[in-house]
């Protein structure tokens, strides 16, 4: 897309509002300056900008990360009314956004908020609820921190890999087999005793 720089307050500083792409990556912004003096000609400036508009929700599995889908990410606005701090769910509809947001299979979420103090909560089935620290946003920056969730029964998930499950199944099978064998031997002994009594 193209855009024009303007100097509305005539202070000699030209600015432009750019609608940034939503897809993360590196983008080149080319500025073409055309001077009013034809002797100066034109000048071209190139700038590479990095777009990383989204954070994601994940859990650590060993040295790997797994994205968490269907997590509910909520943004809360903190206000100081008469020196008493209070918070409420940030009204994202006024800024054409959703709050809370539900993550997809990529675990991604993103908020673009005005200046102020905020904190984030994340809720997902099977995980402990996450509540982040309060942070300040200046000049309407994006909020896209990566958030790690912890399993509600993390000790169970630490041990419940396929090898441990197989060992448990094998152990239970051996116990059942041992119990059945003892019962069979007991029945055979009782039958032999009964046959001896009848023979006598």
């Amino acid at each position: 897309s193209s855009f024009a720089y303007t100097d509305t307050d005539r202070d000699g500083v030209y600015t432009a509002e750019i609608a940034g792409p939503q897809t993360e990556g590196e983008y080149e912004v080319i500025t073409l300056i055309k001077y009013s003096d034809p002797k100066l000609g034109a000048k071209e400036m190139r700038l590479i900008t990095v777009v990383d508009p989204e954070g994601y929700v994940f859990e650590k599995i060993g040295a790997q990360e797994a994205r968490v889908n269907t997590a509910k990410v909520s943004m809360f606005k903190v206000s100081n009314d008469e020196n008493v701090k209070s918070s409420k769910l940030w009204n994202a509809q006024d800024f054409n956004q959703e709050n809370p947001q539900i993550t997809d299979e990529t675990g991604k979420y993103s908020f673009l908020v005005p200046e102020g103090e905020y904190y984030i909560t994340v809720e997902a089935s099977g995980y402990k609820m996450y509540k982040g620290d309060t942070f300040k946003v200046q000049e309407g920056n994006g909020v896209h921190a990566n958030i790690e969730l912890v399993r509600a029964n993390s000790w169970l998930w630490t041990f419940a890999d396929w090898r441990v499950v197989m060992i448990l199944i094998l152990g239970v099978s051996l116990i059942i087999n041992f119990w059945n064998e003892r019962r069979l031997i007991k029945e055979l002994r009782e039958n032999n005793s009964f046959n001896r009594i009848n023979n006598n």
Side-chain angles (χ1 to χ4, degrees), residues 64-189:
Q64 305 293 320
E65 287 184 0
R67 303 291 178 93
V68 179
N69 64 350
T70 65
K72 184 168 94 170
V73 184
S74 304
M75 173 76 74
F76 287 86
K77 177 90 165 65
V78 178
S79 56
N80 289 311
D81 296 327
E82 299 175 3
N83 295 325
V84 177
K85 278 199 172 187
S86 62
S87 62
K88 64 179 180 179
L89 196 67
W90 174 60
N91 187 6
Q93 288 182 342
D94 290 350
F95 299 87
N96 296 318
Q97 298 174 58
E98 290 183 12
N99 186 27
Q101 296 178 12
I102 306 298
T103 60
D104 61 11
E105 64 277 359
T106 66
K108 289 185 176 180
Y109 78 95
S110 176
F111 294 104
L112 184 61
V113 297
E115 291 185 9
E117 283 189 74
Y118 300 88
Y119 68 86
I120 292 175
T121 65
V122 183
E123 299 171 78
S125 178
Y127 297 90
K128 293 179 181 176
M129 181 182 171
Y130 169 89
K131 182 181 176 184
D133 296 329
T134 301
F135 58 90
K136 287 186 179 180
V137 172
Q138 294 181 335
E139 298 179 1
N141 292 325
V143 177
H144 43 76
N146 299 335
I147 297 172
E148 180 184 358
L149 294 185
V150 177
R151 288 271 178 186
N153 297 318
S154 55
W155 61 271
L156 180 64
W157 285 93
T158 302
F159 296 106
D161 65 10
W162 68 271
R163 288 166 289 212
V164 174
V165 171
M166 291 303 292
I167 290 169
L168 287 174
I169 291 171
L170 182 63
V172 170
S173 299
L174 287 172
I175 291 169
I176 292 171
N177 192 35
F178 176 76
W179 183 80
N180 283 337
E181 193 174 307
R182 294 216 11 134
R183 187 171 52 82
L184 186 60
I185 290 170
K186 184 178 177 183
E187 286 176 2
L188 286 172
R189 285 183 182 160

Side-chain angles (χ1 to χ4, degrees), residues 34-42:
K34 292 181 181 177
Y35 295 97
S36 55
D37 185 347
K39 292 178 185 176
L40 296 174

